[in-house]
Amino acid sequence: MKRILAMMAMLAVILVTLALHGPAGQVSADAVAAPSISPASVTETMKVGTELSVTKTVQTPSIPAHAHICFVADTTGSMGGAIGNVQANILTTIVPAILADSPDAQFCAAQYKDTGDGSAVYNLDQGLTTSTAALNTAIGTWSASGGGDLPECQLNALSQLAAYMPTVVKPNAKPFVVWFGDATGHDPCLGATTASTIAALQAAGIKVIAVDVGALDADGQASAITAATSGVLLPAGGDVSAAIIAGLTSVPINVGMASDCTAPISTSFSANQIVTSGSLVTFKETISVAANAKPGTYTCRDHATIDGSPMTTAAGDVIYETKTITVPDPQIIKRPDLANLWLCQPVGTCTDAAHGVGERDFDIYLRDPVTSNSPKGEEQTVGSFSFEVRYDRKLVNVSVTPGGLFLVDSSLRSDISCATISGQG
């Protein structure tokens, strides 16, 4: 029985490892489409006082542009295998996977041990840099030693990084801490508690990706930190490097839409959504044209936001959906133009809308206000106008419904009315 259980456990490890590996045991990340907004443009003709609904689909990035990532490792005595795995893959798989989505990413490296080890409890081995060679050199210095009792001093290390990264992270950059270890942490350690560490990481806007090599979350400390920072906690699954890539490409993100449209064109969107990075997200946009809009063509842009910042291309350019709205000159227009009216008996049985059967709406527009001069020479508005629609009353019923001209603050004006329609023709 023990042998069978051992084989099952080994099979589980193999399955996890295969899921995180590509051919020949190389770490790989699933290909994710480039970030985008669909449709990329909206061009519409809209009358005054009308609305239009548009469905927007946002392809979010698997790793955001401007990613600033600091790797922090437990380098106590039991971590030799995990450290060697990262050292072997940092330049061949981990960094290339990151740069594919975030080519301007920057990196730093740090390590921690435990108090009483006779060496530095925390050390920043490489400050934030674009040099992957410098990152590789720093990670190459990691060596497993010491450790004292089982818990280590990671809370101090995470607090140190929370204080450091805001001093070097560029505007609009996305800071991450990638943390891996195999043991729980003293709480407190050198004055840092779980609560104070979480508060510091949140204040710095850092998302924590934690890779559990053994018992990192035995007391729930790692899961509390990752959950509070909108990060993710993953098991190493036999391959720390693959888990790091999986963690960076599966963090929760808050996705929304924003617009720079101004009056008389306005937009509104359905609520923000929290999804996994790399997901497709659908929004409903409502485009509105004000009742007092003047004729003309109006242009504006929409963009998606990721955790409150504009979504960008891998090169760092904001991705826009362009909008072109034409408000027609409100001259007197009948719509549909030159429509034929088909009649049938009995009334109500005709359903062929293509031939104009049933109720038809004819919108009437005025090009300009009707004005005249008062005896004192001042311009004043004439409060009436007329138009003519010819029809056979024996066959057609006509009614007049006041539209935008009769509206003030979205309510009908009581002092304006439509004349009674009478007379044949």
Side-chain angles (χ1 to χ4, degrees):
M1 179 64 72
K2 289 182 179 179
R3 184 178 180 184
I4 293 174
L5 291 174
M7 292 177 66
M8 292 176 66
M10 183 179 294
L11 178 60
V13 171
I14 292 172
L15 289 174
V16 170
T17 303
L18 288 175
L20 296 172
H21 277 64
Q26 294 298 310
V27 179
S28 64
D30 292 338
V32 177
S36 63
I37 301 175
S38 179
S41 63
V42 172
T43 301
E44 293 287 346
T45 297
M46 297 179 62
K47 298 182 294 184
V48 296
T50 61
E51 292 184 345
L52 173 70
S53 291
V54 178
T55 298
K56 298 286 179 66
T57 301
V58 177
Q59 172 64 64
T60 63
S62 55
I63 299 176
H66 306 300
H68 285 15
I69 302 169
C70 197
F71 299 94
V72 58
D74 173 352
T75 57
T76 56
S78 58
M79 286 290 292
I83 292 170
N85 179 280
V86 174
Q87 289 172 331
N89 287 288
I90 189 66
L91 288 190
T92 58
T93 54
I94 299 174
V95 167
I98 294 169
L99 294 180
D101 285 311
S102 184
D104 59 351
Q106 297 192 30
F107 307 94
C108 60
Q111 60 176 299
Y112 66 88
K113 295 184 183 293
D114 196 8
T115 57
D117 276 353
S119 57
V121 180
Y122 166 80
N123 190 61
L124 180 64
D125 301 303
Q126 173 60 57
L128 200 66
T129 180
T130 57
S131 172
T132 58
L135 174 69
N136 185 54
T137 298
I139 290 178
T141 66
W142 291 349
S143 177
S145 63
D149 57 0
L150 178 63
E152 315 299 357
C153 197
Q154 52 254 45
L155 292 179
N156 171 66
L158 295 172
S159 296
Q160 296 267 18
L161 288 173
Y164 165 71
M165 294 190 75
T167 67
V168 292
V169 170
K170 292 182 177 179
N172 296 323
K174 299 296 183 184
F176 296 88
V177 165
V178 175
W179 161 36
F180 63 99
D182 66 353
T184 59
H186 290 290
D187 188 1
C189 192
L190 300 181
T193 66
T194 299
S196 69
T197 301
I198 287 175
L201 290 166
Q202 289 176 331
I206 296 172
K207 293 190 176 188
V208 177
I209 289 88
V211 176
D212 189 348
V213 181
L216 185 65
D217 195 43
D219 59 358
Q221 189 182 87
S223 57
I225 291 172
T226 53
T229 60
S230 297
V232 63
L233 171 65
L234 292 174
D239 193 327
V240 179
S241 300
I244 288 173
I245 295 173
L248 281 168
T249 56
S250 62
V251 295
I253 54 175
N254 188 320
V255 186
M257 291 294 299
S259 176
D260 64 8
C261 295
T262 57
I265 309 299
S266 61
T267 59
S268 62
F269 303 94
S270 53
N272 285 20
Q273 301 178 48
I274 296 178
V275 300
T276 299
S277 57
S279 299
L280 282 170
V281 189
T282 300
F283 293 93
K284 177 184 176 182
E285 177 184 25
T286 301
I287 306 170
S288 302
V289 179
N292 62 350
K294 294 182 178 180
T297 299
Y298 299 86
T299 59
C300 51
R301 301 180 298 182
D302 296 343
H303 66 270
T305 60
I306 307 292
D307 294 331
S309 298
M311 186 177 75
T312 66
T313 63
D317 300 319
V318 177
I319 299 169
Y320 289 106
E321 173 264 303
T322 58
K323 201 183 314 296
T324 304
I325 304 298
T326 298
V327 178
D329 186 1
Q331 56 190 326
I332 297 178
I333 300 173
K334 288 193 307 179
R335 293 184 180 176
D337 296 329
L338 302 178
N340 292 320
L341 183 65
W342 294 73
L343 302 176
C344 62
Q345 283 288 353
V347 176
T349 62
C350 304
T351 58
D352 189 356
H355 293 92
V357 174
E359 181 178 308
R360 305 293 288 184
D361 292 331
F362 295 85
D363 296 333
I364 307 298
Y365 301 96
L366 296 182
R367 180 188 301 275
D368 296 302
V370 182
T371 61
S372 66
N373 291 327
S374 71
K376 296 182 179 180
E378 298 172 345
E379 187 178 86
Q380 60 185 9
T381 298
V382 176
S384 64
F385 61 91
S386 63
F387 61 90
E388 183 178 87
V389 177
R390 295 183 179 272
Y391 65 97
D392 188 340
R393 194 176 182 184
K394 291 186 296 183
L395 300 175
V396 180
N397 292 323
V398 173
S399 62
V400 177
T401 302
L405 179 68
F406 294 81
L407 300 179
V408 177
D409 297 329
S410 302
S411 61
L412 277 172
R413 288 185 51 170
S414 60
D415 60 331
I416 298 180
S417 62
C418 299
T420 300
I421 299 175
S422 61
Q424 181 175 321

